[in-house]
Amino acid sequence: MNRRQLMLRAMALGLIPSLTGCDYEDPQHPDLADKFLHAMSAWNDRVQAALFDPHTLAPTFRPDQITRPPRFNAFYDISQAPVVDETTYKLELGGQITDKTPWSLTQLRALPQQEQITRLVCVEGWRVIGQWGGVRLSDFLHRVGADTKCRYVSFQCADGYYSSIDMESALHPQTILALTFLGAPLTPAFGAPVRLRIPTKLGFKNPKNLVQLAVTNIYPGGYWEDQGYNWFSGS
Ligand SMILES: Nc1nc2c(c(=O)[nH]1)N[C@H]1C(S)=C(S)[C@@H](COP(=O)(O)O)O[C@H]1N2
Ligand SMILES: [Mo]
């Protein structure tokens, strides 16, 4: 098999996200190759969504397995991480939600909290095990009166990053609005004041430094998703 065939086969198996364009574009039929890869990725999303079992838990780990120090990743250097004023912070709500009153950090901390020691897998090929604590997203969505029949939950970040997930994954018991790492409040680089922690999906589906959460039926895409990374990117 040549590189292109290998790539397409691996994509069909969901082994790699489909990156459109680049060096495996057919120079004779660039549009066709592009359309085909997009169709493959959309099909890949549907297959992954169909295979997703809302009751299967992502693996959890022992405290001694936690990666120290943790590993930072963003589309910029760690020194550029956005610093959000926690005293005036409000998580904004949008879309199909009954009570869109923004939430302060104090209010989020007053909700029941959950801890998890799980693995974060980056599409770049590295993984870390960490301990995150926070509010179960399904509890939060029910609390604010989100229409959980909608297809998507979208997230906007203080650094301009954005992402979105399917509602089934949003309601998964291990999907949390994380407020802590190793029992302490999140630091700016690792997502302060609030990040999404979703161990059933790849790292880039874990937006940090959240400023807004919305519930919608209109496909919201994401920072890497809009550049060709597979949208579902989960198990
Ligand atoms: N706001 C924001 N969130 C983000 C990113 C980013 O650039 N900005 N990068 C994503 C990617 S690609 C990964 S792998 C994880 C890394 O999280 P970590 O720094 O806690 O390891 O954050 C995700 N969330
Ligand atoms: Mo990543």
Side-chain angles (χ1 to χ4, degrees):
M1 278 194 285
N2 65 27
R3 187 174 139 73
R4 183 188 174 82
Q5 287 169 325
L6 200 71
M7 188 74 88
L8 292 173
R9 215 161 272 199
M11 268 172 43
L13 293 169
L15 297 176
I16 50 165
S18 68
L19 293 153
T20 55
C22 309
D23 54 342
Y24 50 92
E25 199 167 62
D26 180 346
Q28 309 299 175
H29 307 283
D31 291 351
L32 211 68
D34 209 52
K35 274 187 195 134
F36 179 66
L37 291 169
H38 270 296
M40 281 293 261
S41 188
W43 173 79
N44 201 339
D45 279 343
R46 287 196 297 277
V47 172
Q48 289 185 73
L51 291 174
F52 179 73
D53 178 353
H55 305 292
T56 300
L57 296 181
T60 56
F61 300 85
R62 298 185 311 271
D64 63 279
Q65 293 176 294
I66 292 170
T67 311
R68 291 171 198 266
R71 182 168 171 161
F72 166 84
N73 197 34
F75 63 94
Y76 44 76
D77 183 79
I78 190 164
S79 62
Q80 307 297 120
V83 179
V84 176
D85 183 351
E86 307 207 340
T87 57
T88 57
Y89 177 77
K90 295 265 168 118
L91 176 66
E92 286 173 10
L93 304 181
Q96 305 299 109
I97 290 177
T98 311
D99 185 356
K100 293 201 191 77
T101 314
W103 281 65
S104 71
L105 208 47
T106 314
Q107 289 172 305
L108 288 170
R109 285 178 180 149
L111 293 174
Q113 308 285 305
Q114 190 218 73
E115 288 276 329
Q116 59 172 258
I117 301 177
T118 51
R119 190 167 50 195
L120 183 145
V121 180
C122 178
V123 73
E124 290 173 342
W126 50 267
R127 48 195 64 204
V128 289
I129 292 168
Q131 181 183 351
W132 290 271
V135 181
R136 200 176 263 191
L137 183 58
S138 72
D139 289 350
F140 185 76
L141 290 174
H142 290 124
R143 173 72 184 253
V144 297
D147 180 357
T148 55
K149 289 189 291 296
C150 283
R151 293 175 70 174
Y152 309 108
V153 180
S154 72
F155 303 91
Q156 302 282 339
C157 309
D159 56 5
Y161 192 83
Y162 61 106
S163 189
S164 57
I165 57 173
D166 54 291
M167 184 59 77
E168 268 214 308
S169 298
L171 299 176
H172 185 278
Q174 286 170 308
T175 304
I176 65 172
L177 290 173
L179 304 168
T180 65
F181 186 76
L182 294 174
L186 292 177
T187 56
F190 292 97
V194 186
R195 81 176 299 174
L196 183 70
R197 180 60 194 127
I198 178 163
T200 56
K201 287 191 188 291
L202 286 176
F204 74 89
K205 307 292 292 185
N206 290 246
K208 303 188 273 189
N209 322 102
L210 296 181
V211 293
Q212 200 227 37
L213 175 164
V215 172
T216 178
N217 277 316
I218 302 160
Y219 176 70
Y223 182 89
W224 290 115
E225 294 88 333
D226 292 351
Q227 297 177 55
Y229 279 67
N230 174 249
W231 176 75
F232 196 89
S233 284
S235 54

